[in-house]
Amino acid sequence: MPELPEVETVRRSLAPAMEGRVITQAQVNRPDLRWPLPERMAERLTGRRVERLRRRSKYILADLDSGESLLIHLGMSGRMLVSGDMLGGFHHDHPAPQKHDHVVLDMEGGARVTFNDARRFGAMDLVRTDREAAHWLLAGLGPEPFGNEFNEDYLVARLKGRATPIKAALLDQHVVAGLGNIYVSEALFRAGIDPRRQAGRIAAQRIAALVPVIREVLSEAIAAGGSSLRDHRQASGELGYFQHAFRVYDREGAPCVTCGTPLKRIVQSGRSTFFCPACQK
Ligand SMILES: [Zn+2]
């Protein structure tokens, strides 16, 4: 499942093809992805200008000049492919349509944006931009990790008294939006916090220290995504995770980069957690 940095990387790579440009033709090849697609979707997209391409948590939002936003969720296997010349030259080569190309957007300027999703865990919807906060997928999401609302005082207050392990508390999308299994493991390692500790029993100072650490691991991953994208013409969730940046995730048994102790893997709420039993208290 792509996490926030992967989604942000996809957003950034789609922006030159989509932002400020009119969708000259939208093609919707099936009635549903994970959930039914909105009615008259192709009609509501065709001819609309994309004013802005934003990200909220793990969702991409394309604000249209109609007052609606196209909400895009990549799910497990969704990919956004950009083909053609996005600078509007004469050279418009698009690959042959593939199976699982569910939504195809031809953009003013010649680029084509294709949503391909073999497993159909992805989602798209059209939502009134001014009412997006009430959309069922977005309502209840906590603050963005890079937003002003997510700060030291907020996190300390939010986790006060919570008996759940700190790892589960940070995965809770009501606490902070967009954090997933990988980057929570990485952030707890850098903060030196044992993922099994009860959130409410960790000193406020140590909880506060998590805020800049969370931003740091996400920023580094976004930067790594940007550099891996330079080598690829296509915007794709398939670019994968930026593994070279991981210090603990998926490194069970490997030596801790700080102290050399073999890293451990445990299962918390059905998901793997990786940590250093010596550095993380
Ligand atoms: Zn260590």
Side-chain angles (χ1 to χ4, degrees), residues 256 259 276 279:
C256 169
C259 73
C276 173
C279 292

